[in-house]
Amino acid sequence: MDDLTGFQRDLLYVIAGADQPSGQEVKDEVEKYYNSEINHGRLYPNLDTLVNKELVEKGELDRRTNYYAISDSGYEQIEARREWEQQYID
């Protein structure tokens, strides 16, 4: 996870916390956190990066809508990140 941007990590956490969200649902959640609009030109290339790194799986809900699901590797990366963070918080 050390090669992800903070934005990509946030996307990964949002996807992990949802049940196969669409890109729009991910966008809505991230916009709440950032308290600003996220444009498609920023969102979808970063989602594609997560898919290409095999941290997220992408599927088709219908002809116009994709869903995203955290992969086993994505969960492992989140767990490793939490362990790393925990050593500095305790």
Side-chain angles (χ1 to χ4, degrees), residues 2-90:
D2 61 335
D3 62 337
L4 298 180
T5 67
F7 184 69
Q8 291 166 345
R9 279 195 306 270
D10 293 341
L11 294 176
L12 188 63
Y13 280 99
V14 166
I15 293 166
D19 184 26
Q20 296 184 338
S22 67
Q24 184 63 46
E25 291 168 330
V26 172
K27 179 180 178 289
D28 291 345
E29 285 301 313
V30 173
E31 284 178 339
K32 286 179 196 174
Y33 177 71
Y34 281 85
N35 200 27
S36 66
E37 186 174 340
I38 306 297
N39 66 44
H40 289 1
R42 181 177 184 201
L43 176 68
Y44 289 101
N46 282 288
L47 287 172
D48 288 341
T49 296
L50 296 176
V51 170
N52 292 337
K53 290 181 178 289
E54 299 180 350
L55 300 173
V56 168
E57 298 166 359
K58 179 178 169 180
E60 197 173 281
L61 288 173
D62 58 43
R63 296 179 76 186
R64 295 190 56 194
T65 308
N66 292 321
Y67 71 82
Y68 297 88
I70 190 93
S71 68
D72 290 341
S73 178
Y75 274 123
E76 290 168 6
Q77 291 293 317
I78 287 173
E79 186 58 34
R81 174 73 183 204
R82 285 183 168 175
E83 289 175 11
W84 180 80
E85 289 172 341
Q86 201 61 36
Q87 71 180 331
Y88 298 104
I89 296 172
D90 285 344

